[in-house]
Amino acid sequence: MRAMSANDLVRATASPCVRNCCLDDDNVCIGCGRALAEIVGWARASEEEKRSILARAADRREQRRRRYGIP
């Protein structure tokens, strides 16, 4: 495996962490919407996996907004 170049790092998908880390009863972060396993595995995830994680996290955040009436 080759070393990452500066261009690779710029293109890499950034973590969605918003520094509001608190897990709910389902082990999902109320800040970013990722499940604990997704948070732990983020650094090892491929770009495709990261995009999938981001989509699931966005869905979870939207469900939380609807459930609790958060604007």
Side-chain angles (χ1 to χ4, degrees), residues 4 8 10-16 32-35 38-39 41-61:
M4 289 184 77
D8 291 333
V10 170
R11 285 191 302 263
T13 303
S15 168
C32 70
R34 291 180 293 169
E38 294 168 338
I39 295 168
W42 183 262
R44 295 185 316 274
S46 69
E47 288 301 308
E48 182 178 345
E49 291 168 328
K50 288 178 180 180
R51 286 189 295 273
S52 180
I53 290 168
L54 291 175
R56 288 191 304 270
D59 288 343
R60 290 184 195 114
R61 288 192 313 273

Side-chain angles (χ1 to χ4, degrees), residues 2-68:
R2 71 176 179 82
M4 289 184 77
S5 70
N7 287 337
D8 291 333
L9 292 174
V10 170
R11 285 191 302 263
T13 303
S15 168
C17 182
V18 294
R19 307 293 189 257
N20 184 18
C21 304
C22 183
L23 298 177
D24 65 12
D25 292 338
D26 296 319
N27 282 328
V28 172
C29 178
I30 64 170
C32 70
R34 291 180 293 169
L36 181 58
E38 294 168 338
I39 295 168
V40 171
W42 183 262
R44 295 185 316 274
S46 69
E47 288 301 308
E48 182 178 345
E49 291 168 328
K50 288 178 180 180
R51 286 189 295 273
S52 180
I53 290 168
L54 291 175
R56 288 191 304 270
D59 288 343
R60 290 184 195 114
R61 288 192 313 273
E62 182 58 31
Q63 288 173 6
R64 182 182 300 278
R65 283 188 198 103
R66 288 185 201 155
R67 184 179 313 134
Y68 297 108

